């Protein structure tokens, strides 16, 4: 859930969702909520747009958390679609791409990490109405999906798409230790009893992920070593899967994945992983039903537990969060003999309403705790949906089959000091509104009655769940201790929202969330509201796991240096001005696409989501009051009748003309043009010049010399996936037309367009996803970069020696060179050349989302989705 006071909440999860039910398109607010059974939600008949919420103390605003669950699922699906549509990612795809990458020549020069500095979400320089500054999260970084800690001060944190980081001082002074691996997508990390560190790649939520993994790796000496590709355990069995949990028992490591439950002997890295259980094996790759549109949801195992009294008795929690006939608990009395059966858990646990489940044993095995998300609530046909949490349970026998006692639900947690117990437009939203996406559960090794639960917030109980405290509230807004002015703000620091991981060790409990890593003493202090007074952010700038969608560059009006800003997953928009030692956050919520005036980098356009755009001409600096009336940014979301009526992708594209900073093009279902530049006052300042077609939404936009190219998809998922490209003159609606793509042009996402600055008829398209070899589906095709010299009339595949890896952004430089950002690396094609090279050294093997050129320092900048923003000075070539 995003933290935003002027936008609806949202996030990115690495998971697949119900777009098949929506026809693969973005629908209006009411249409979507009606189909998801949420039509009675407050605001359901209102279009989605940045709203003016009721004013609270000192001009602060609240948010409507009820839309959170749908929106998080939307971004998860749309982000993943670009990589698997029109099929699925088959095993071996990333390993093959890495092999090809390693065979490529590398240019001279090295990358520089721009965002390896502290990022302060509470920076008072940007305490604008449109930011979350003063909310209490403090220093932040990207999503942390795995945590491990020993009792010697070593802490290991896994970034969602940033790999594993090590601290040797109990948190802080982080060092990356997985940069040699073929993927930095992180599922889980666990310290085994022998001191080795196990790393499961492939970020796991309750379905397939945006970035699948390359298997499980074991590092024998985690305190001083680093992971190598040869540390992989087993063969290729876990490639292109996501891993929800790692568990160790009976001499084996067990992994709960989206393709079933696997095990492997702990004592050896050789030998294949054994699939112990899959509820619907015919839907697995190669099975009779593998082509079914819902195949990816049919074999999800969320967690696994061992009966402490019988090491052969194993129980697995297997479920698709939205409900399926296979949802439930499965057990085998002796896993060595097989024979898995579906069982009804006894006691209070509802056997017919099991969704996403997380287990946690006490150290003595006497108690087993569990969080359960409710598919029934997620699919509630009508009425008020307060939460998607069924409840938190305990089995006081330690038996995974129960009997289970219910120890918490959304209402009980909401009454424990939760920041989510708010009245927004006449309705309260409770903890667990996002239980399908992020959960953690941990028990104090020294006390079986002391446990921590993570949902949107962090909750703690010291009496086995009889009573709870919200020790990490969602934010501090609306509490009596809060003030926008630091001198009057007496609230203690809290954590960022959306909890994903937890570890206990060295006297501390560590939590990982969408804002990074935080810790407090195991037996910490709380105030009268039950809020912890001793949280410490460990995001000291050395752990750069920031997940950018975009980067924007422009000349600093005060210093003549470069202002660097960019939109982030659940961390607003960052801004770094010349001379800064700390980045600020001048816009809140999810940051999307972005742009800046090259001549004045404080003139910016920043997107929240779905073309919810705001323009600022002073970097959105603090004016003092933080009220909406004093905000220095304006809402300019394009619309026809009412803000939000334009259908657009969650991260929707827009771009300025590279010859005229005052001409912009934005893409939803329609192509919108603004010729007023940064003086535009509101959403009516745009002109609708072209309709891409019903059910179609823009995936890419580029403009040069008055000509624009707009890529689109629709439907955008596997159910009838289609894509295309429109071209036209920005000021001539009659010139717009759909390009006829040749039959051998891949039927995959057109994710990026680069135009020759000297000739707008000469352009390149970057194609996402994998080739036909690894992407099943009609017309998947081959190639990742295609060139036209006649404005789209004809095309040529110029992929040449590029690895077969999803491509997201392409830029043609003035000398004819090309720069291409992909899921593994950034590539360079020299002027006049046909072959590609890897651009420079030092850039981690993570996802490049956006590449931009900055004339002021003759450098290209790449926004990565997991390792921050990096720059490459072209003079090195």
């Amino acid at each position: 859930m995003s933290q935003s006071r002027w936008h609806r909440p949202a996030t990115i999860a690495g998971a697949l969702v119900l777009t098949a039910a929506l026809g693969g398109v973005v629908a209006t607010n009411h249409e979507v909520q009606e189909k998801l059974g949420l039509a009675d939600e407050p605001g359901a008949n209102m279009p989605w747009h940045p709203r003016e919420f009721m004013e609270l103390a000192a001009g602060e605003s609240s948010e409507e958390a009820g839309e959170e669950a749908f929106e998080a699922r939307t971004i998860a699906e749309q982000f993943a679609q670009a990589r698997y549509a029109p099929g699925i990612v088959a095993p071996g795809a990333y390993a093959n791409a890495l092999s090809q990458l390693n065979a490529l020549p590398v240019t001279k020069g090295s990358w520089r990490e721009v965002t390896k500095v502290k990022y302060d979400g509470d920076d008072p320089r940007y305490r604008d109405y449109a930011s979350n500054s003063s909310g209490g999260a403090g220093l932040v970084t990207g999503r942390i999906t795995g945590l491990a800690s020993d009792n010697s001060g070593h802490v290991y944190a896994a970034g969602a798409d940033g790999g594993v980081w090590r601290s040797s001082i109990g948190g802080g002074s982080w060092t990356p230790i997985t940069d040699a691996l073929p993927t930095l997508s992180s599922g889980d990390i666990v310290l085994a009893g022998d001191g080795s560190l196990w790393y499961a790649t492939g970020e796991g939520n309750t379905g397939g992920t945006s970035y699948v993994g390359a298997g499980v790796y074991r590092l024998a000496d985690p305190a001083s070593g680093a992971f190598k590709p040869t540390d992989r355990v087993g063969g290729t069995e876990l490639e292109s899967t996501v891993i929800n949990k790692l568990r160790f028992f009976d001499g084996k490591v067990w992994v709960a994945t989206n393709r079933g439950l696997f095990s492997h002997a702990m004592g050896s890295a050789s030998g294949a992983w054994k699939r112990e259980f899959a509820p619907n094996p015919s839907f697995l790759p190669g099975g009779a039903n593998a082509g079914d549109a819902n195949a990816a949801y049919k074999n999800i195992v969320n967690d696994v537990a061992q009966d402490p009294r019988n090491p052969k008795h194993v129980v697995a929690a297997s479920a698709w969060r939205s409900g399926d006939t296979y949802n439930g608990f499965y057990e085998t009395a002796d896993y060595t003999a097989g024979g898995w059966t579906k069982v009804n858990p006894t006691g209070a646990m509802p056997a017919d309403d099991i969704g996403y489940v997380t287990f946690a044993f006490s150290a003595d095995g006497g108690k087993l705790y569990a969080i359960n998300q409710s598919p029934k609530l997620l699919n509630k046909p009508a009425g008020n949906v307060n939460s998607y949490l069924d409840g938190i349970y305990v089995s006081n026998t330690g038996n995974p089959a129960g009997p289970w006692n219910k120890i918490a639900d959304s209402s009980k947690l909401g009454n424990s000091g939760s920041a989510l117990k708010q009245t927004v437009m006449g309705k309260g939203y409770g903890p667990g509104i996002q239980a399908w996406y992020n959960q953690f559960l941990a028990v104090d090794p020294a006390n079986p009655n002391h446990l921590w639960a993570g949902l949107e917030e962090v909750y703690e109980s010291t009496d086995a769940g009889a009573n709870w405290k919200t020790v990490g509230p969602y934010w501090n807004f609306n509490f009596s201790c809060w003030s926008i002015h630091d001198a009057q703000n007496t609230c203690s620091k809290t954590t960022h929202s959306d909890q994903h991981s937890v570890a206990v060790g060295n006297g501390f409990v560590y939590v990982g969330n969408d804002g990074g890593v935080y810790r407090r003493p195991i037996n910490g202090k709380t105030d009268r509201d039950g809020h912890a007074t001793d949280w410490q952010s460990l995001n000291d700038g050395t752990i750069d796991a920031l997940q950018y969608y975009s980067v924007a560059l422009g000349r600093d009006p005060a210093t003549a240096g470069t202002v660097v800003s960019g939109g982030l997953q659940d961390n607003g928009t960052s801004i770094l001005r010349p001379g800064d030692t700390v980045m600020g956050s001048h816009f809140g919520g999810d940051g999307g696409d972005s742009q800046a005036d090259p001549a004045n980098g404080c003139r910016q356009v920043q997107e929240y989501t779905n073309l919810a755009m705001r323009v600022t001409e002073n970097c959105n600096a603090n004016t003092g009051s933080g009220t909406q009336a004093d905000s220095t940014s304006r809402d300019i979301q394009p619309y026809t009748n009412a803000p939000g009526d334009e259908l657009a992708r969650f991260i929707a594209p827009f771009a300025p003309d590279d010859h005229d900073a005052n001409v912009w093009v934005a893409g939803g279902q329609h192509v919108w043009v603004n010729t007023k530049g940064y003086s535009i006052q509101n959403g009516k300042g745009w002109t609708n010049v072209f309709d891409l077609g019903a059910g179609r939404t823009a995936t890419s936009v580029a403009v040069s010399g008055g000509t624009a190219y707009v890529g689109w998809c629709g439907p955008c998922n596997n159910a009838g996936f289609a894509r295309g490209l429109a071209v036209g003159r920005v000021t001539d609606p009659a010139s717009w037309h759909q390009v006829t793509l040749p039959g051998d042009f891949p039927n995959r996402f057109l994710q990026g367009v680069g135009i020759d600055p000297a000739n707008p008829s000469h352009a390149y398209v970057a194609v996402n996803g994998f080739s036909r070899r690894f992407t099943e589906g009609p017309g998947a095709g081959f190639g990742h970069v295609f060139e036209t010299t006649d404005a789209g009339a004809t095309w040529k595949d110029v992929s040449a020696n590029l690895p077969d890896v999803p491509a997201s952004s392409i830029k043609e430089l003035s000398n004819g060179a090309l720069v291409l950002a992909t899921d593994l690396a950034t590539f360079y094609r020299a002027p006049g050349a046909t072959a590609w090279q890897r651009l420079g050294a030092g850039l981690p093997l993570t996802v490049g989302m956006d590449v931009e050129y900055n004339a002021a320092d003759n450098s290209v900048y790449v926004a990565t989705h997991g390792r921050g923003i990096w720059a490459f000075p072209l003079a090195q070539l």
Side-chain angles (χ1 to χ4, degrees):
M1 187 185 297
S2 296
Q3 296 187 323
S4 175
R5 294 180 288 123
W6 67 283
H7 293 116
R8 57 190 181 276
T11 190
I12 174 178
L16 306 178
V17 296
L18 300 175
T19 35
L22 306 178
V25 300
V26 180
T28 65
N29 186 31
H30 183 69
E31 290 169 340
V32 168
Q33 298 209 23
E34 189 172 49
K35 291 181 180 180
L36 291 177
L38 306 178
D40 289 341
E41 295 288 274
N45 296 311
M46 302 167 64
W48 283 356
H49 62 284
R51 296 195 181 93
E52 296 178 11
F53 296 118
M54 59 183 179
E55 293 290 314
L56 300 172
E60 291 300 318
S61 297
S62 183
E63 66 175 328
E64 188 170 3
E67 293 177 358
E68 170 63 21
F70 171 74
E71 293 187 359
R73 284 177 280 167
T74 301
I75 182 56
E77 170 67 3
Q78 292 186 3
F79 201 64
Q81 284 169 351
R83 282 149 184 86
Y84 67 70
I88 63 171
V89 179
Y94 281 97
N96 175 72
L98 181 63
S99 176
Q100 294 176 327
L101 173 66
N102 289 335
L104 255 62
V106 182
T107 71
K108 296 178 181 179
S110 298
W111 289 86
R112 173 178 62 89
E113 188 173 5
V114 177
T115 50
K116 193 175 181 179
V117 295
K118 294 178 180 179
Y119 179 28
D120 187 359
D122 290 328
D123 192 330
R125 294 175 297 173
Y126 305 101
R127 196 148 292 173
D128 187 84
Y129 179 84
S131 79
N132 292 321
S133 183
S134 76
L139 300 177
V140 296
T141 188
R143 184 164 71 250
I144 299 297
T145 56
L147 279 170
S149 173
D150 64 17
N151 288 319
S152 301
H154 297 104
V155 184
Y156 306 91
D161 294 307
V164 179
W165 302 74
R166 176 179 61 225
S167 171
S168 300
I169 59 171
S173 297
W174 301 91
T175 301
I177 60 173
T178 51
D179 283 4
L181 297 186
T183 177
L184 299 183
S185 177
S186 302
D188 197 9
I189 52 172
V190 179
L191 279 167
D194 63 359
S196 60
L197 181 66
W198 294 67
Y199 175 43
T201 64
E203 184 188 353
N205 290 288
T206 53
T209 186
S210 303
Y211 297 112
V212 292
V216 174
Y217 297 80
R218 177 186 180 273
L219 180 61
D221 57 339
S224 59
F227 284 93
K228 306 180 298 296
T230 54
D231 291 326
R232 189 167 76 171
V233 177
T236 61
E237 301 82 22
L238 298 182
E239 282 196 6
S240 300
T241 65
V242 302
I243 297 176
N244 298 306
K245 285 291 187 298
L246 281 171
R247 301 288 190 189
F248 298 88
F249 54 83
D250 204 34
K252 295 179 179 292
V253 55
W254 298 72
V255 291
T257 82
N258 64 322
R259 291 180 181 167
L261 177 67
F262 292 79
S263 75
H264 195 283
M266 289 182 62
S268 173
S270 63
W273 286 86
K274 178 184 178 182
R275 182 181 280 115
E276 297 281 359
F277 165 69
N280 296 294
S282 68
F283 289 88
L284 294 168
N289 301 111
D292 188 282
N294 294 315
Y297 316 132
K298 292 293 187 178
N299 287 284
I300 299 167
V301 177
N302 295 299
D303 208 346
V304 58
Q306 173 201 34
D307 188 336
R309 300 166 301 178
N310 178 3
K312 306 299 181 186
H313 179 205
V314 181
V315 175
S318 187
W320 167 233
R321 62 166 178 256
S322 297
D324 200 302
T325 55
Y326 77 89
N327 279 31
F329 287 179
Y330 293 78
E331 71 174 347
T332 175
D334 182 355
Y335 75 85
T336 63
W340 291 80
T341 58
K342 189 175 183 181
V343 296
N344 290 334
T346 59
M349 180 82 75
D352 62 346
D353 194 25
I354 291 176
Y356 178 22
V357 167
T358 299
F359 293 131
F361 266 114
S362 60
D364 61 6
K367 290 182 181 290
L368 175 62
Y369 297 92
I371 296 178
N372 181 42
Q373 168 258 327
S374 167
K376 287 185 177 179
L377 289 173
L378 196 65
N379 294 304
K380 194 172 181 180
N384 298 326
V385 179
N386 180 269
S387 172
Y388 299 130
L389 174 69
D390 164 52
I392 303 178
Y393 296 82
V394 64
S395 168
N396 286 310
T397 64
N399 191 332
W404 293 92
N405 297 322
K406 193 170 189 176
I407 57 175
D409 57 16
S410 180
S411 177
K412 187 172 183 178
L413 296 176
N415 288 322
S416 70
S418 169
L420 295 182
K421 190 183 179 183
Q422 302 175 15
T423 299
V424 181
M425 300 176 72
K427 183 178 181 68
Y429 290 96
I433 191 67
Q434 203 169 284
W436 61 270
Y437 163 54
N438 53 269
Q439 303 177 2
F440 75 58
L441 198 57
V443 186
D444 184 343
N447 182 354
N449 296 318
H450 184 194
L451 67 153
W452 299 270
L455 293 165
E456 300 80 21
E457 303 171 297
V458 182
Y459 309 97
E460 180 181 30
S461 174
T462 56
D463 53 13
N467 296 280
W468 294 86
K469 293 180 179 180
T470 305
V471 292
Y474 185 76
W475 54 20
N476 287 329
F477 299 130
N478 308 330
F479 291 118
S480 59
C481 58
W482 175 84
S483 169
I484 194 172
H485 304 292
D486 288 340
Q488 288 82 47
N489 188 349
T490 61
C491 294
S492 299
K493 288 289 186 180
T494 183
T495 69
H496 195 283
S497 61
D498 301 343
Q499 313 305 317
H500 292 268
S501 53
V502 62
V504 183
N506 199 35
F508 295 96
V509 57
Y510 297 84
V511 301
N513 48 51
D514 277 0
V517 189
Y518 297 77
R519 79 174 189 188
R520 65 185 294 256
I522 290 175
N523 297 301
K525 298 178 180 180
T526 57
D527 61 20
R528 64 181 183 181
D529 295 317
H531 303 155
T533 61
D534 44 16
W535 283 112
Q536 178 186 0
S537 170
L538 302 179
N539 311 305
D540 61 358
T542 63
I543 181 170
D544 186 4
L546 292 167
Q547 296 172 273
Y548 283 93
Y549 295 116
S550 62
V551 58
L553 308 160
R555 187 182 183 91
D556 186 83
T559 68
T562 298
V563 180
V564 182
S565 61
L568 287 150
Q569 186 274 326
D570 210 11
N571 279 296
T573 304
S574 71
I575 180 168
L576 182 66
R577 299 184 68 169
D580 282 355
T581 58
V582 176
M583 287 197 300
S585 179
H586 55 325
F587 290 93
D590 276 270
D593 206 352
S594 57
Q595 71 179 47
D597 183 347
N600 182 349
C602 276
R603 286 160 49 113
Q604 300 178 9
V605 179
Q606 302 291 347
E607 177 188 27
Y608 172 56
T609 63
N610 306 92
L611 287 184
M613 305 157 69
R614 292 183 77 87
V615 62
T616 178
E617 298 185 71
N618 77 333
C619 286
N620 213 31
N622 182 14
T623 57
S625 70
T627 63
Q628 185 180 20
D630 288 339
S631 176
T632 59
S633 62
R634 300 184 298 277
D635 176 6
I636 58 166
Q637 182 177 18
Y639 65 92
T640 300
N641 298 307
D645 64 7
E646 174 63 10
L647 304 184
R649 290 181 67 75
F650 197 89
I651 304 300
F654 55 87
D657 191 320
D658 61 15
H659 289 274
D660 188 344
N662 290 314
V663 174
W664 311 341
V665 174
Q669 176 182 321
H670 301 87
V671 178
W672 296 87
V673 172
N674 165 41
T675 58
K676 302 177 180 66
Y678 292 88
S679 65
I680 185 173
Q681 294 299 305
N682 54 51
K684 293 299 287 183
W686 296 85
T687 300
N688 180 351
V689 298
F690 189 64
D691 188 346
L692 295 173
R696 298 172 175 175
T697 51
T699 57
S700 53
V701 167
V703 198
S704 182
T707 296
Y709 294 72
V710 179
W712 56 263
C713 65
C716 297
N717 61 2
N718 293 346
F721 175 81
R723 53 84 187 103
L725 183 72
V727 180
R729 299 281 299 172
V730 294
T731 57
D732 181 11
S735 69
W736 280 87
H737 62 282
Q738 296 282 2
V739 168
T740 300
L741 298 173
D744 59 350
F745 200 104
N747 187 39
R748 303 201 305 275
F749 270 71
L750 308 184
Q751 199 65 39
V753 179
I755 306 175
D756 183 343
N759 178 10
S761 294
H762 182 205
Y764 298 86
V765 169
V767 181
N768 214 309
F770 288 93
S771 72
R772 185 180 296 121
R773 178 180 176 187
F774 294 106
T775 303
E776 302 173 2
F782 295 92
H784 289 278
V785 178
F786 289 78
E787 178 184 19
T788 180
T789 57
D790 49 21
T794 59
W795 294 90
K796 177 183 178 182
D797 184 356
V798 293
S799 305
N801 60 331
L802 272 175
D804 182 11
V805 64
S808 293
S809 180
I810 188 167
K811 181 71 65 175
E812 181 171 4
L813 306 180
S814 59
N815 63 357
L818 295 177
V819 182
L820 176 72
T822 76
D823 275 11
L824 281 183
T826 296
F827 298 96
Y828 178 77
R829 198 185 77 172
T834 58
W836 295 83
Q837 304 172 72
R838 185 174 178 178
L839 183 57
L843 185 66
L845 288 175
T846 192
V847 181
M849 295 293 293
D850 183 26
V851 58
E852 300 291 344
Y853 173 70
N854 184 41
D857 59 6
N858 189 30
S859 298
V860 292
Y861 288 69
V862 169
T864 74
H865 198 71
R867 290 295 289 272
I869 295 173
W870 295 68
F872 185 90
L874 293 172
Q876 297 179 102
L877 299 177

